[in-house]
Amino acid sequence: MTARRIIPCLDVKDGRVVKGVRFQGHADMGDASELARRYRDQGADELVFYDITASPEGRTLDYAWVRDIARALDIPFSVAGGIRTNDQAGRCLDSGADKVSINSPALERPDLIAEMADRFGRQCVVVGVDSRREGDDWVVHQYTGDPDASRRSGRRTLDWIVEAQTLGAGEIVLNCMDQDGVRRGYDIEQLKAARARLTIPLVASGGAGSARHFRDAFVEAGVSGTLAASVFHTGALTIGALKTELAREGVEVRP
């Protein structure tokens, strides 16, 4: 069995790490480089950095900032934020990122996924999906980094993740918006439905509040990795303690 991944997520706005609840009311959580080093030292398997206002503002992220992060880390990390072209993705990778994650730009132009996979390899291409329940289904939202710009994309979540996989995505990060920041557990129902439709790795995001929540995502939903933010930023749970508890539960994790 492949070891499951614990992935702290750092949402960055104006150079600072922030965290909200259900993508609203962002509060300052600290310096991105400082938090990145802390999580590296605690045993994070990867890190994800989202410049959350880049897409709503029509810009891409700061490559110098990516280089600064790369110099501080010796573990893989992914970056996201307004990446709309192969050249922009290439500059992120050349600056030290291991993966690039695209979300709203992929919804604007799905062929971007295929173009990036052809040029860089699908292992470098992550597609983030911000999903919210509507009735008996889930729908994709875009521009969620800005509450004033956030809107429905017109796509069903389960259809979109299959399309993204077909186009060449190497991994899907499913952000369950209704669970985001509330720390009541991942959306197991939605994750199971997504996992059943994918052959590529699926990473859960939104809702972690205890070690049990991570365990449920791995064991019940079969995800490859779990993203979490506030539970780590606030110190409610450390990565070392989490991995110890997961190992007790029979979940294979890296030391």
Side-chain angles (χ1 to χ4, degrees):
M1 181 186 295
T2 303
R4 310 297 180 156
R5 291 173 286 151
I6 305 299
I7 310 170
C9 175
L10 293 89
D11 292 335
V12 180
K13 181 179 181 181
D14 300 326
R16 301 286 292 177
V17 175
V18 298
K19 189 68 188 83
V21 175
R22 294 177 176 145
F23 288 58
Q24 298 188 38
H26 293 105
D28 188 288
M29 290 289 164
D31 178 76
S33 295
E34 180 182 331
L35 286 171
R37 288 190 292 268
R38 179 193 304 172
Y39 298 143
R40 173 204 62 193
D41 294 344
Q42 287 184 5
D45 297 300
E46 299 179 19
L47 292 172
V48 171
F49 298 87
Y50 290 144
D51 184 331
I52 63 171
T53 57
S55 282
E57 293 175 358
R59 59 175 177 81
T60 193
L61 47 77
D62 184 345
Y63 306 115
W65 172 71
V66 179
R67 288 193 293 272
D68 289 343
I69 295 296
R71 282 193 287 267
L73 295 178
D74 55 4
I75 60 174
F77 72 98
S78 174
V79 296
I83 300 169
R84 288 182 166 81
T85 68
N86 264 350
D87 287 344
Q88 291 172 342
R91 290 190 66 180
C92 290
L93 296 169
D94 289 343
S95 297
D98 298 277
K99 304 176 187 178
V100 290
S101 182
I102 53 176
N103 188 327
S104 295
L107 290 162
E108 295 166 3
R109 193 169 68 84
D111 284 346
L112 177 61
I113 301 170
E115 293 167 5
M116 289 174 54
D118 287 344
R119 180 167 173 182
F120 306 113
R122 67 187 302 160
Q123 76 283 351
C124 294
V125 183
V126 179
V127 173
V129 180
D130 296 331
S131 176
R132 174 163 279 159
R133 179 181 283 276
E134 290 191 9
D136 295 329
D137 204 355
W138 298 283
V139 298
V140 182
H141 286 240
Q142 60 191 127
Y143 310 123
T144 56
D146 180 351
D148 294 328
S150 180
R151 61 180 175 84
R152 297 171 78 255
S153 70
R155 291 178 178 268
R156 296 178 64 249
T157 299
L158 299 180
D159 292 340
W160 173 233
I161 63 173
V162 171
E163 182 179 351
Q165 174 179 262
T166 301
L167 286 167
E171 183 170 278
I172 299 292
V173 175
L174 183 54
N175 305 307
C176 301
M177 296 177 67
D178 298 307
Q179 305 297 106
D180 180 74
V182 301
R183 294 163 65 174
R184 295 175 184 167
Y186 293 100
D187 187 337
I188 301 301
E189 180 186 359
Q190 185 174 181
L191 292 167
K192 287 174 69 175
R195 178 69 278 164
R197 287 162 173 79
L198 296 173
T199 59
I200 59 176
L202 173 65
V203 176
S205 177
S210 70
R212 184 72 183 186
H213 295 154
F214 290 86
R215 179 265 178 206
D216 290 346
F218 289 130
V219 175
E220 296 183 21
V223 301
S224 301
T226 48
L227 242 64
S230 57
V231 70
F232 295 140
H233 296 341
T234 61
L237 190 61
T238 67
I239 296 167
L242 170 60
K243 287 190 168 185
T244 297
E245 182 61 27
L246 289 172
R248 287 198 196 104
E249 293 280 344
V251 177
E252 183 175 351
V253 292
R254 298 180 181 90

